[in-house]
C-alpha cells in the first residue's frame, strides 16, 4: 500500500500564476479531504469529497480556490491566481470509514513569491 | 470553536510513559475521541480513538473518564521518535462522514 500520494512535494510559483496540486487517495477509500497548514492558522479543512462528490467546501478561502475529483483515484486543488498569502503546506487525506482514521499524504509545500 | 483543551507543551524522558491529557467537557453522547500526531514536516498520523471504554493498540492506550469529559493518551515507553504535536479531537460518528477539525495540540518533546 503506497499510501496517499501527493504531488508535487514542493512548488514555488510567482504571484498571479495558476497552481495545481494533485492527490491520489488510497484505493478503496471513498472519502477525500484537503487541508491547509500554516503557522498562524494551524491545520484547516478546506473541502471534502464523499464518493467523488464535494460535500462541504465551506473551508475554501475564496473563489480563487477550486477542487475537483473526477474519479475515485484522483483529485486536484487549484489556485488561480495565486497570492503570497496562499503559501502553506497543503495536505490531502483519505478514509474508508472514520473508524479506521484518516490517512494523510506527505503534503505539498507551496511558496508563492 | 475548539471542542477540546490540551496543554500547549509537555516534556517526557526517553523510556518513560508519556501521559497526554485532553479536556472535552462538552462532548456529546455520539462523539468519539480521536488522537492524531504530527511529526515535524509530515502529515498527521492516526493513533487511536474511543467512545467510552479504554482502548489499546500497538501505538498507545486511551483512557476516557467515566463522565467522558476528559481523556488521557498514554505512550507507554516514549522514544525520541515520539517527539511530535499530539492532537485530541472529538468527532461525531453518526450520519455522513464527519470532519476532523484540528486544534493547536500538545507539543511533546521526548528528551534523552
Amino acid at each position: 500500500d503506497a499510501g496517499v500520494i501527493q504531488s508535487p512535494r514542493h512548488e514555488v510559483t510567482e504571484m498571479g500564476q495558476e497552481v495545481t496540486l494533485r492527490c491520489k487517495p488510497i484505493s478503496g477509500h471513498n472519502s477525500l479531504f484537503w487541508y491547509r497548514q500554516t503557522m498562524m492558522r494551524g491545520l484547516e479543512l478546506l473541502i471534502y469529497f464523499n464518493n467523488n462528490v464535494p460535500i462541504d467546501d465551506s473551508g475554501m478561502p475564496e473563489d480563487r480556490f477550486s477542487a475537483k475529483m473526477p474519479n475515485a483515484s484522483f483529485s486536484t486543488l487549484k489556485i488561480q491566481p495565486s497570492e503570497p498569502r496562499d503559501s502553506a503546506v497543503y495536505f490531502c487525506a483519505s478514509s474508508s470509514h472514520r473508524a479506521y482514521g484518516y490517512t494523510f499524504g506527505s503534503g505539498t509545500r507551496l511558496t508563492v513569491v | 470553536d475548539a471542542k477540546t483543551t490540551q496543554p500547549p507543551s509537555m516534556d517526557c524522558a526517553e523510556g518513560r510513559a508519556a501521559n497526554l491529557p485532553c479536556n472535552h467537557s462538552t462532548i456529546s453522547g455520539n462523539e468519539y475521541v480521536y488522537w492524531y500526531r504530527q511529526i515535524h514536516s509530515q502529515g498527521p498520523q492516526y493513533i487511536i480513538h474511543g467512545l467510552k471504554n479504554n482502548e489499546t493498540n500497538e501505538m498507545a492506550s486511551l483512557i476516557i473518564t467515566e463522565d467522558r469529559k476528559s481523556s488521557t493518551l498514554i505512550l507507554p515507553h516514549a522514544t525520541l521518535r515520539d517527539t511530535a504535536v499530539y492532537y485530541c479531537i472529538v468527532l461525531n460518528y453518526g450520519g455522513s462522514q464527519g470532519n476532523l477539525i484540528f486544534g493547536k495540540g500538545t507539543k511533546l518533546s521526548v528528551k534523552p
Side-chain angles (χ1 to χ4, degrees), chain B residues 29-106:
Chain B
N30 60 354
E31 287 183 318
Y32 280 66
V33 180
Y34 278 74
W35 283 84
Y36 280 74
R37 73 179 182 183
Q38 186 174 25
I39 297 170
H40 182 61
S41 298
Q42 298 181 20
Q45 177 189 24
Y46 167 81
I47 301 173
I48 198 168
H49 77 283
L51 182 63
K52 51 184 168 183
N53 297 322
N54 297 337
E55 302 288 345
T56 295
N57 63 20
E58 66 278 4
M59 290 183 68
S61 294
L62 174 61
I63 308 298
I64 302 175
T65 58
E66 193 168 342
D67 63 8
R68 302 212 320 124
K69 293 185 176 181
S70 65
S71 60
T72 301
L73 179 73
I74 300 172
L75 308 178
H77 305 287
T79 71
L80 299 179
R81 287 174 295 188
D82 292 321
T83 292
V85 178
Y86 287 78
Y87 298 97
C88 170
I89 303 166
V90 295
L91 181 61
N92 188 335
Y93 209 85
S96 61
Q97 185 86 268
N99 301 330
L100 278 179
I101 306 299
F102 289 83
K104 296 186 183 302
T106 295

Side-chain angles (χ1 to χ4, degrees), chain A residues 71-103:
Chain A
N71 56 62
S73 59
F74 184 65
S75 178
T76 59
L77 178 67
K78 184 177 295 185
I79 308 172
Q80 165 64 15
S82 58
E83 297 182 3
R85 60 191 168 125
D86 301 331
S87 297
V89 181
Y90 291 81
F91 289 103
C92 175
S94 69
S95 173
S96 60
H97 189 282
R98 70 177 69 85
Y100 311 126
Y102 296 14
T103 302

